[in-house]
């Protein structure tokens, strides 16, 4: 509804909040022993799109050899503040897209999600919800409809800044991104003070 009447379109992919998860993982020994002296905690990152692993021959080259392991990849770039990682957590029937995953495929290719990860090939990760924050409260927008009706903008690509809002100014500036990360962490702490702040494990890839 935010696309009509001269108002801006909805946010990209309709993303309106940041979800946080606590992940418990235990990769198979084949991962630890599979790359020589490296002995990684994580396996190499595998790209997924719409629930489907897009790495060619991933089942033969990775899942059959190392199980449905948790992978990671260090992100390099001047816009990233500090250590930034991507993770891959294979779900059921990873070779197919979400709408094409048959019951039989999910049974025969179960993925790594389970209740208590034990390092088995199909029991490598578990996630628990650790809260959420909205983009509105993070950036300081009290009423998004009113914000849009006043012809304000969260961010304009051409000028690299917002109109009536400066939270996203300098979208690819590492220092600004560090401030935004800290603002998100502070907001999570304010909303969920009882939750522990866990350190991010290092990624070897």
């Amino acid at each position: 509804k935010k696309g009509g009447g001269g108002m801006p379109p909805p946010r990209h992919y309709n993303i309106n909040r940041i979800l946080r998860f606590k992940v418990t993982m235990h990769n198979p020994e084949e991962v630890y022993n599979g790359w020589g002296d490296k002995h990684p905690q994580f396996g190499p990152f595998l790209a997924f799109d719409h629930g489907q692993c897009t790495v060619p021959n991933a089942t033969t080259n990775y899942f059959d050899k190392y199980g449905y392991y948790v992978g990671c990849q260090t992100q390099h770039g001047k816009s990233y503040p500090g250590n930034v990682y991507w993770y891959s957590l294979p779900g059921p029937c990873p070779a197919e897209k979400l709408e094409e995953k048959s019951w039989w495929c999910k049974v025969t290719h179960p993925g790594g999600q389970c209740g208590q990860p034990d390092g088995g090939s199909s029991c490598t990760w578990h996630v628990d919800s650790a809260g959420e924050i909205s983009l509105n409260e993070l950036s300081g927008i009290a009423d998004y409809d009113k914000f849009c009706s006043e012809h304000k903008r969260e961010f304009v690509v051409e000028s690299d800044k917002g109109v009536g809002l400066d939270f996203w100014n300098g979208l690819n500036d590492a220092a600004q991104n560090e401030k935004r990360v800290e603002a998100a962490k502070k907001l999570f702490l304010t909303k969920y003070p009882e939750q522990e702040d866990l350190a991010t494990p290092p990624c070897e890839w």
Side-chain angles (χ1 to χ4, degrees):
K1 68 179 181 180
K2 296 180 176 65
M7 301 174 103
R11 290 173 173 134
H12 189 55
Y13 291 139
N14 290 309
I15 295 175
N16 293 306
R17 56 184 178 156
I18 298 174
L19 304 181
R20 185 175 63 174
F21 297 96
K22 177 182 177 181
V23 180
T24 302
M25 59 163 281
H26 185 170
N27 272 337
E29 289 188 10
E30 288 81 357
V31 172
Y32 182 78
N33 296 320
W35 281 274
D37 294 336
K38 192 180 186 76
H39 295 309
Q41 177 177 206
F42 295 92
F45 174 83
L46 298 176
F48 281 78
D49 185 18
H50 208 59
Q52 178 186 47
C53 182
T54 55
V55 176
N57 302 312
T59 297
T60 301
N61 294 334
Y62 293 100
F63 301 137
D64 287 348
K65 290 183 178 180
Y66 309 107
Y68 297 101
Y69 68 83
V70 177
C72 72
Q73 181 183 78
T74 302
Q75 298 302 300
H76 300 284
K78 62 181 182 180
S79 65
Y80 293 116
N83 297 318
V84 177
Y85 309 121
W86 284 357
Y87 298 94
S88 53
L89 295 86
C93 192
E96 303 294 339
K97 293 182 179 180
L98 290 174
E99 65 275 9
E100 297 173 357
K101 296 178 187 290
S102 68
W103 173 84
W104 181 245
C105 183
K106 292 178 183 179
V107 170
T108 55
H109 302 281
Q113 186 175 18
C114 60
Q116 295 182 322
D118 58 11
S121 62
S122 59
C123 188
T124 59
W125 59 273
H126 175 78
V127 295
D128 291 297
S129 174
E132 66 178 71
I133 58 176
S134 74
L135 294 184
N136 287 346
E137 59 185 339
L138 175 62
S139 60
I141 299 175
D143 185 323
Y144 189 69
D145 287 329
K146 184 174 184 293
F147 177 86
C148 294
S149 69
E150 294 174 348
H151 303 289
K152 296 177 181 179
R153 299 291 183 269
E154 295 182 88
F155 183 77
V156 179
V157 174
E158 292 75 15
S159 61
D160 194 33
K161 61 182 182 181
V163 177
L165 184 76
D166 62 7
F167 185 81
W168 301 107
N169 289 8
L171 191 64
N172 293 311
D173 182 274
Q176 291 299 106
N177 283 333
E178 180 66 31
K179 292 180 181 178
R180 286 186 273 265
V181 170
E182 290 304 314
K185 290 171 66 175
K186 183 178 180 180
L187 185 54
F188 269 114
L189 180 61
T190 300
K191 294 187 68 174
Y192 307 97
E194 74 286 354
Q195 292 189 2
E196 56 185 330
D197 185 15
L198 300 175
T200 300
C203 174
E204 305 92 346
W205 302 92

